[in-house]
Amino acid sequence: MSAFIITLVFFICDAVAHLYIQKYHKADGVEGRGGAVTKVLLMPSLYMSLHLAGLAFGRTLANEELVLLVAIFYTLGDMLLIFRQSFCFYLGVVSFMVGHCIYIAYFAHFGFSWLALIVGLAVFGALYFIYCRKIISMGHKLTAGFLVYGLMILIFATGMAGVFSTEHILSSATALIGVVLFGWSDSRIAYNMAGVARTSDFLVMLSYILANVFLALAVFSINV
């Protein structure tokens, strides 16, 4: 239990420190060494907390190797997106998408519904259409990349809707909240880069952190 508490406190402190840097010490879009370090530590500390929570409460997480892979690919994505080069952006997007697909595979072990998949595709597809119109209207040099970026989020959201389990409603609903927050955060990144809108980096990172917290809670609760 003590290891879980220590790791959880570390994650909370790291998240607060990163958000503080985003709010008050980010100059010209560059977060500096402190921001980079705290960002890279977010996912390892969160998912280590999830692992230790399972041990502390006597609940070994099912298919935990998949959760470990999510943590690895999300961390790699965070590292790549620190750099502002287009090549690193694309690699970061791919890394996150791999993590998203692993999450879908994880929750698919607990249930799948064609009806939920169709509803999810309709709802999230409509949002993706709006996103595409905004991105295309800007004519940015990375337009194609932004569209693929959004498509990956659409796949993630639709896939997670499809694995909604009526036997694990709390966990499934929590996971969908995480997915929606993830989509909002990622769409703001694309909008900011394309010049469509300007959302503060603080809000982008806050929604990203909360998205992962909700997804981690979904994993924990589905194993309880």
Side-chain angles (χ1 to χ4, degrees):
M1 178 65 75
S2 59
F4 162 64
I5 294 175
I6 291 172
T7 307
L8 179 61
V9 170
F10 178 87
F11 164 71
I12 294 173
C13 291
D14 183 64
V16 170
H18 184 70
L19 290 173
Y20 179 82
I21 291 172
Q22 294 291 315
K23 183 73 173 180
Y24 298 108
H25 293 282
K26 193 167 184 179
D28 299 324
V30 179
E31 51 199 344
R33 184 177 300 174
V37 171
T38 52
K39 183 178 183 181
V40 171
L41 291 175
L42 285 170
M43 294 304 101
S45 58
L46 173 61
Y47 285 95
M48 178 58 72
S49 297
L50 175 61
H51 167 72
L52 293 174
L55 297 179
F57 293 95
R59 301 287 183 177
T60 302
L61 303 181
N63 305 302
E64 192 168 11
E65 66 280 358
L66 294 179
V67 180
L68 174 61
L69 287 175
V70 169
I72 290 173
F73 280 105
Y74 279 6
T75 301
L76 181 59
D78 279 338
M79 293 174 62
L80 289 166
L81 292 183
I82 289 173
F83 305 99
R84 296 293 172 171
Q85 293 87 347
S86 300
F87 180 69
C88 291
F89 170 76
Y90 288 128
L91 286 180
V93 170
V94 171
S95 184
F96 272 110
M97 190 59 219
V98 173
H100 296 339
C101 289
I102 295 172
Y103 250 140
I104 295 173
Y106 182 87
F107 284 99
H109 284 87
F110 301 94
F112 175 80
S113 168
W114 283 106
L115 177 61
L117 182 71
I118 294 171
V119 172
L121 180 60
V123 173
F124 294 118
L127 294 174
Y128 177 65
F129 177 75
I130 295 172
Y131 167 85
C132 289
R133 289 189 62 182
K134 288 184 178 180
I135 292 296
I136 293 174
S137 67
M138 291 303 298
H140 193 274
K141 63 179 181 179
L142 292 178
T143 294
F146 293 143
L147 295 180
V148 173
Y149 191 36
L151 179 60
M152 290 182 176
I153 296 300
L154 172 62
I155 293 172
F156 182 37
T158 303
M160 289 296 284
V163 297
F164 191 97
S165 173
T166 55
E167 296 181 2
H168 304 278
I169 293 179
L170 177 60
S171 175
S172 296
T174 303
L176 280 179
I177 292 173
V179 169
V180 170
L181 286 169
F182 225 124
W184 188 88
S185 177
D186 282 357
S187 65
R188 298 310 111 173
I189 293 174
Y191 286 159
N192 285 350
M193 293 180 67
V196 175
R198 182 62 195 174
T199 303
S200 70
D201 293 324
F202 172 83
L203 288 178
V204 170
M205 284 308 301
L206 176 61
S207 58
Y208 169 68
I209 293 171
L210 289 176
N212 280 282
V213 168
F214 274 101
L215 287 166
L217 287 173
V219 170
F220 182 76
S221 62
I222 207 169
N223 285 276
V224 173

